[in-house]
Amino acid sequence: MKKNKLFIILLTLSCFFADYKEPKVALVLSGGAAKGYAHIPILEMIDSLNINIDMIVGTSIGANVGALYAAGYDSKKILEFAYDTDWSAIFLEETNRRDMSYLHKKNDSKYQLDFNLKGITPSLPSSIVYGQKAYLELSKVLGQYEYINDFEKLYIPFHCNATDLISGKDIALSKGSIISSVRASTSIPSVFAPVDYKDYLLVDGGVTNNLPVNIAKSNGADIIFAVSVASGKPDKKEIKSSVFDILAESVFIHSSDLIKKNMDMADYSLSIKMPKGSSANFTSRGLDNIYKAGKKKVYENIDIFYNLKKISGPKKNRPRLKKLDELNLIIDEINVYGNSYFESDFIKNNLGTSINDTLTLELIHSAINNLYGLGIFNNVRYELQPNIKLNKTVFNIFVDETESNKLQAGLKWDYNYELIAAMNMRIKNLIYPGILLTNEFQFPGLTSNKLELSYNQTFGGIPYYPFLRNTYNKKLVDYYDREGDKATEFTVRSIKNEIGLGLILGKNLGFEISSMHEKTTLSSFPLQETSEDYNNKIAKMNIIRIDFDSRDNAFVTRDGILTKVELQSVDFNANNFQNFYIDIDLYKTFGRQTFRVHSLYRNIDNFSPLHHTFFKGYIDRTAGFNPYFLSSNELEISGFEWKYHYKSMYIKLFFNSLVKLKNNSNDFFLHKSENTTGIGISTKTPFGPLDLIWAQGPKNLNKNASEQSFFYVNIGYKF
């Protein structure tokens, strides 16, 4: 009898345990822009109590934080990412200059105003930024797991949602590209451009469903813990100060009532009230306040976490995910999607990688930056189709071509030319893909018009561009005699027509060879030569140019090299001469201190027309010298500069030395070197860099005269 009772008990227990299934616990994280970092203390407590989570569902910033946790990053690491992310770079979306193509660098930030054109009509952009920087920031942390196309196979199964602008529906994302899915889920309308993904045009998931409890339920969650970082109804005074806050709060107003319903559907819920106006506060101080608010709420509701621990049991011992760099996948195929103007071969040739290369995250980012640095794409993203067994993968590239033309405008006050305004129109893919038409007009300090037509293509993997240029210049010039006194002033007008071919040898090196015809007129020139000696005469030139530019920034350079070399073979009015020019700048930074060494040499080996000896230069090379003294047949200047950087400002001390000066027109030779010294301070302004420079140098190179002081004010970019 006892044996029968024991058997019945054991049978009952075995049936009970056979039917028993551990509850599937889901963590659902809401959107809320910067406020979403209040989710991190939630994860910290889950890690601290070793609570098991079987599924993570998130939207917007909740998808960002949730995806990192699902990939295997712990709460401590996610907090580090939050503080280390360069949010200013994301919202300004500035391209790292070292990733720019050679041609992109040549037009780097010359203008303060930049308008998109549809045809010749100005148009507004679809968003504040296109989101390329945001995408790359996600790729830095999620790119090691981009080869996992099913989010159920992450360290913790993961789901997120986004809103389809075409249908207006809430779209659940659980397969495909983890980076693109999270980027789409965080795409706040008007702040970030929509993501063209699969058959959808996706924006922030918070537009339709800012707390996607329903996705957790539909994927079999038994216990749901939902966390919302909503601020409640916006306060007028606190919200109206920030455009970002207005946009962010506008997105979430629609789904605020739905959040309450979803909170009621959850088994456990936590609503973290944030200070108003914190949606856009990505500063360290702002993140501190958001993090503290989240932590305070966690400890006020500690019972929730202890209850979850009882229900879920200890954290499951899941195997660590392999990183992409550990798989040694070989690129088996490269595909390009989204291009219509530019050929796939052109895009592939600019990747910097090819079939049979071993794929690493560093190689991927280099390839993406190479394409984005061309300046012809709004966005560049990637997806992988791996075959782990064969150790191979398909590397898919998705591009969004910049179709709009540009109208650009700039304003500059320059010591040499005084006020200069510039306008430039850029028309891309004129008549045929790859053809670019630009026209820049400057006035009044220097009247200039430069029209250029170029055609960008590749041959044998080397980019090249045939070009036609027409340039008109008008400038009032001071002329000094051999005694160093001002003799006269006159106007120089020139028209140049140039045809040539350019080669791009990597990101930093450009080479041009061309032929030019130049027609020049000099007015009111009462010296030995008459203006008729120059009027309506044609100078025929064969030109070679070499440019090397590896600078990290064109205006406040910390590291890199800038080298310009030009050789002209000129036939002017039956006189032949060679004009050689080389200019070298070297920069190196240690901490807050930047050291610069520069050297410039120019030599005209025979008789030349006067206007060919004019030296324009820049203040950073000639400060302390009257620039018209430097008009010569042979010239050599070297200098040294020290800068100390503090936030957006810097001070500098400099020394320039005029080593050689020879002027055939007035038989002047510099018999000893002349030096200048100076100090300057610079800062950023809405109009570009502001330079205030004081320098002391020789009053007259030809006489033993006293030194004089020069004070320079320059604001704006170099045209």
Side-chain angles (χ1 to χ4, degrees):
M1 190 71 179
K2 288 183 179 179
K3 287 183 179 179
N4 289 338
K5 285 182 179 180
L6 181 61
F7 175 77
I8 292 169
I9 292 170
L10 291 172
L11 182 63
T12 303
L13 288 171
S14 66
C15 292
F16 173 79
F17 285 111
D19 292 337
Y20 176 75
K21 186 175 75 171
E22 288 186 351
K24 194 174 185 179
V25 180
L27 176 64
V28 181
L29 305 176
S30 79
K35 296 180 293 186
Y37 285 119
H39 292 311
I40 297 176
I42 306 294
L43 301 178
E44 286 180 337
M45 185 55 69
I46 289 172
D47 285 342
S48 174
L49 297 177
N50 205 33
I51 298 171
N52 182 63
I53 301 295
D54 298 293
M55 182 196 310
I56 297 176
V57 181
T59 192
S60 196
I61 191 68
N64 190 325
V65 173
L68 293 174
Y69 198 68
Y73 293 108
D74 60 24
S75 55
K76 183 180 178 182
K77 198 68 178 174
I78 297 172
L79 185 63
E80 289 177 10
F81 290 148
Y83 279 96
D84 291 343
T85 300
D86 187 355
W87 292 103
S88 62
I90 287 176
F91 292 120
L92 293 174
E93 201 156 70
E94 295 178 348
T95 306
N96 187 326
R97 195 171 189 277
R98 287 180 166 167
D99 293 327
M100 289 182 180
S101 68
Y102 168 78
L103 290 179
H104 196 180
K105 286 179 182 178
K106 291 185 72 172
N107 297 296
D108 179 25
S109 302
K110 286 176 65 175
Y111 310 97
Q112 291 98 343
L113 300 177
D114 197 323
F115 302 98
N116 290 328
L117 299 176
K118 286 194 175 180
I120 58 172
T121 306
S123 63
L124 293 173
S126 61
S127 57
I128 297 174
V129 295
Y130 286 105
Q132 182 68 19
K133 281 289 183 181
Y135 178 85
L136 287 175
E137 284 296 320
L138 284 171
S139 184
K140 288 177 184 178
V141 290
L142 290 175
Q144 294 288 0
Y145 310 102
E146 178 68 11
Y147 71 92
I148 300 174
N149 302 134
D150 184 353
F151 307 163
E152 287 280 344
K153 296 180 180 179
L154 291 169
Y155 182 75
I156 301 173
F158 173 73
H159 305 266
C160 65
N161 70 312
T163 303
D164 180 24
L165 278 181
I166 299 171
S167 65
K169 294 181 178 179
D170 180 30
I171 307 297
L173 302 169
S174 59
K175 294 183 185 302
S177 167
I178 181 71
I179 302 171
S180 294
S181 296
V182 174
R183 165 68 183 86
S185 187
T186 57
S187 186
I188 298 174
S190 299
V191 177
F192 295 109
V195 176
D196 190 352
Y197 184 57
K198 298 183 177 179
D199 297 325
Y200 309 114
L201 190 63
L202 300 175
V203 295
D204 199 295
V207 173
T208 51
N209 188 2
N210 200 34
L211 191 67
V213 172
N214 60 308
I215 295 177
K217 278 194 172 296
S218 64
N219 282 278
D222 301 303
I223 304 294
I224 297 175
F225 178 28
V227 184
S228 171
V229 293
S231 299
K233 299 298 182 182
D235 181 87
K236 183 170 69 173
K237 286 184 179 180
E238 292 174 315
I239 197 68
K240 70 179 184 178
S241 61
S242 167
V243 171
F244 188 97
D245 275 314
I246 294 171
L247 291 170
E249 295 294 344
S250 299
V251 167
F252 303 130
I253 283 174
H254 174 74
S255 61
S256 59
D257 294 333
L258 183 60
I259 288 176
K260 188 177 183 307
K261 292 180 182 178
N262 286 338
M263 293 282 275
D264 293 339
M265 289 170 59
D267 299 279
Y268 299 93
S269 62
L270 203 60
S271 181
I272 307 173
K273 301 293 182 182
M274 292 290 159
K276 303 294 193 299
S278 56
S279 297
N281 201 345
F282 288 96
T283 64
S284 293
R285 186 173 180 180
L287 293 178
D288 283 343
N289 293 333
I290 291 168
Y291 174 79
K292 289 175 183 176
K295 196 150 190 168
K296 182 173 181 288
K297 196 70 175 180
V298 165
Y299 281 97
E300 289 175 353
N301 296 269
I302 193 69
D303 289 347
I304 292 177
F305 295 90
Y306 281 114
N307 288 334
L308 277 174
K309 181 174 176 63
K310 290 178 184 177
I311 296 170
S312 69
K315 191 177 288 186
K316 292 179 181 177
N317 187 20
R318 299 181 176 96
R320 183 185 70 86
L321 295 174
K322 282 191 175 183
K323 293 182 177 181
L324 175 67
D325 291 353
E326 298 171 342
L327 297 176
N328 295 319
L329 293 174
I330 306 297
I331 300 175
D332 189 49
E333 185 180 339
I334 299 175
N335 298 315
V336 179
Y337 300 96
N339 55 312
S340 56
Y341 291 107
F342 297 97
E343 298 289 337
S344 294
D345 286 344
F346 170 80
I347 295 171
K348 290 178 183 178
N349 288 335
N350 280 280
L351 278 173
T353 187
S354 58
I355 291 172
N356 295 324
D357 285 347
T358 300
L359 196 70
T360 64
L361 191 59
E362 183 181 359
L363 184 145
I364 290 173
H365 288 170
S366 175
I368 298 301
N369 287 329
N370 285 344
L371 292 183
Y372 188 66
L374 293 172
I376 58 177
F377 302 117
N378 297 323
N379 283 297
V380 182
R381 60 183 180 86
Y382 68 97
E383 290 184 16
L384 305 177
Q385 293 178 309
N387 187 325
I388 305 298
K389 292 182 179 179
L390 297 178
N391 230 39
K392 294 182 178 180
T393 187
V394 176
F395 187 25
N396 294 326
I397 303 293
F398 298 83
V399 297
D400 175 20
E401 295 173 330
T402 303
E403 296 185 20
S404 57
N405 300 321
K406 292 285 187 182
L407 177 64
Q408 300 166 305
L411 197 65
K412 175 180 175 65
W413 177 269
D414 182 275
Y415 172 82
N416 284 338
Y417 303 122
E418 297 182 344
L419 183 66
I420 304 176
M423 293 189 67
N424 183 48
M425 181 176 285
R426 297 170 59 85
I427 301 176
K428 298 179 179 180
N429 305 311
L430 181 70
I431 303 175
Y432 192 79
I435 295 179
L436 174 66
L437 177 68
T438 65
N439 189 66
E440 181 184 78
F441 178 60
Q442 298 179 20
F443 65 97
L446 173 67
T447 302
S448 173
N449 190 80
K450 183 177 180 181
L451 179 68
E452 180 172 329
L453 187 69
S454 61
Y455 177 55
N456 301 316
Q457 281 297 308
T458 60
F459 179 78
I462 299 175
Y464 70 92
Y465 55 99
F467 62 86
L468 294 171
R469 291 177 188 146
N470 175 269
T471 306
Y472 169 80
N473 286 311
K474 176 186 174 183
K475 179 70 177 80
L476 183 66
V477 177
D478 293 336
Y479 182 78
Y480 289 76
D481 60 24
R482 69 174 64 193
E483 300 300 321
D485 299 319
K486 183 177 176 178
T488 186
E489 63 180 30
F490 55 93
T491 301
V492 182
R493 294 180 177 87
S494 67
I495 298 176
K496 301 175 183 178
N497 293 299
E498 185 177 6
I499 181 171
L501 177 70
L503 298 178
I504 302 172
L505 306 173
K507 294 179 184 178
N508 302 325
L509 181 61
F511 175 87
E512 288 185 355
I513 183 168
S514 66
S515 179
M516 178 192 292
H517 282 200
E518 176 192 59
K519 183 179 179 180
T520 305
T521 300
L522 277 67
S523 63
S524 303
F525 191 69
L527 298 180
Q528 294 178 352
E529 299 102 333
T530 66
S531 59
E532 284 74 22
D533 293 328
Y534 302 99
N535 288 348
N536 301 316
K537 298 293 192 299
I538 301 295
K540 301 176 183 178
M541 304 180 218
N542 295 315
I543 304 171
I544 295 175
R545 299 187 186 95
I546 301 173
D547 288 353
F548 181 88
D549 187 355
S550 65
R551 295 173 298 166
D552 59 345
N553 189 289
F555 311 110
V556 186
T557 308
R558 293 176 179 267
D559 291 286
I561 300 172
L562 174 65
T563 301
K564 294 180 178 293
V565 180
E566 185 166 324
L567 176 63
Q568 298 178 354
S569 178
V570 186
D571 179 1
F572 178 78
N573 202 21
N575 291 304
N576 297 314
F577 63 91
Q578 307 287 326
N579 188 349
F580 176 74
Y581 175 91
I582 182 169
D583 188 0
I584 302 173
D585 268 324
L586 306 175
Y587 300 85
K588 187 64 182 176
T589 293
F590 303 92
R592 294 182 180 272
Q593 300 182 83
T594 298
F595 299 90
R596 170 184 175 234
V597 178
H598 67 88
S599 184
L600 181 152
Y601 178 76
R602 199 261 313 275
N603 182 54
I604 302 173
D605 68 350
N606 203 351
F607 169 82
S608 66
L610 215 69
H611 59 276
H612 275 256
T613 67
F614 297 159
F615 178 76
K616 298 176 183 178
Y618 294 112
I619 301 300
D620 59 357
R621 288 163 173 76
T622 62
F625 294 107
N626 186 325
Y628 295 108
F629 285 165
L630 306 179
S631 297
S632 60
N633 290 77
E634 189 171 10
L635 170 71
E636 184 178 346
I637 295 178
S638 297
F640 174 83
E641 182 179 274
W642 169 85
K643 288 182 183 178
Y644 182 83
H645 301 262
Y646 180 73
K647 295 184 177 179
S648 62
M649 299 181 62
Y650 65 84
I651 61 170
K652 67 178 179 181
L653 302 174
F654 60 87
F655 169 85
N656 294 319
S657 180
L658 178 60
V659 180
K660 184 179 292 185
L661 186 69
K662 177 182 178 183
N663 196 330
N664 292 340
S665 67
N666 57 24
D667 298 323
F668 175 75
F669 298 85
L670 184 72
H671 296 287
K672 63 174 184 175
S673 63
E674 294 284 354
N675 305 318
T676 70
T677 56
I679 186 170
I681 184 168
S682 298
T683 187
K684 294 180 180 178
T685 76
F687 300 99
L690 170 64
D691 297 313
L692 303 175
I693 300 170
W694 175 89
Q696 191 171 31
K699 189 173 183 178
N700 193 318
L701 295 176
N702 297 7
K703 299 178 180 179
N704 293 321
S706 61
E707 293 190 335
Q708 65 176 343
S709 296
F710 297 81
F711 186 71
Y712 307 92
V713 178
N714 295 284
I715 185 168
Y717 303 121
K718 295 176 183 176
F719 297 138

